[in-house]
Amino acid sequence: EELLRHADLGIEGVEVIPKDPEPPEIRFIHSNGADRATLDFGDESLGTRTWFAMLGPAVLSLDQGAVLLVDELDANLHPAMSVEVIRLFGDPRSNPKNAQLVFTSHDTTLFGNLPGGRALDRSQVWLTEKDDDGATELYALAAVKPRPDENLQRGYHEGRYGARPRIVPGNLAWSVGLEKIAEGDS
């Protein structure tokens, strides 16, 4: 519940209602001053549900010193919350058993300069790039040797490290416009 409160979701508690043999029903208790409301899990935002679903595996991994694999860490989470998950694993106070977090993400803010410092060191970032045959290559950001003081987020978006889709900005809108002209909708 403390991790739910930390996320600034307005949640002050959780009700778990057993439903044997079905999974339990989860309800969140929200407070706004003296007013309280209870919402079913399905009525919460995707961000709240994702944060809640992430907490169990993260706490278990930290408790056991295990590896936690997460596909698309940033899916439905505010970037500040994704950073907090990373920091849980990077802080020896919350991770005394050296659990590891391995995740995929499209959120480049995770290796940018953030309040509280970078969430990821350049040695912790790995990139993937598809070749012309569609095969994917995995390589360390450190292998492209960015400068120690380099803005990694900007460098990535400028294409210095590869691992970017081969799209031309604005080309999609231009292509859709051509289709409409071809259909006679000038």
Side-chain angles (χ1 to χ4, degrees), residues 21-110:
E22 300 294 317
E25 186 176 325
I26 307 292
R27 293 183 182 160
F28 295 103
I29 303 164
H30 291 263
S31 66
N32 183 7
D35 296 330
R36 295 179 79 201
T38 302
L39 292 176
D40 291 335
F41 183 81
D43 294 332
E44 294 286 349
S45 71
L46 283 175
T48 298
R49 289 186 284 175
T50 300
W51 181 248
F52 181 77
M54 175 97 52
L55 294 180
V59 169
L60 183 63
S61 178
L62 291 165
D63 185 54
Q64 296 179 353
V67 176
L68 177 62
L69 302 172
V70 181
D71 187 24
E72 299 293 346
L73 175 67
D74 54 314
N76 301 313
L77 284 181
H78 188 280
M81 298 314 300
S82 299
V83 168
E84 289 306 305
V85 172
I86 295 166
R87 287 185 175 145
L88 272 174
F89 283 81
D91 190 322
R93 294 171 297 177
S94 56
N95 190 4
K97 295 184 180 176
N98 296 314
Q100 291 185 337
L101 174 65
V102 177
F103 65 91
T104 63
S105 177
H106 290 97
D107 184 0
T108 60
T109 63
L110 297 177

Side-chain angles (χ1 to χ4, degrees), residues 170-183 185:
N171 201 31
L172 180 63
W174 184 77
S175 296
V176 171
L178 283 180
E179 286 179 18
K180 289 185 182 224
I181 291 171
E183 294 171 1
D185 294 341

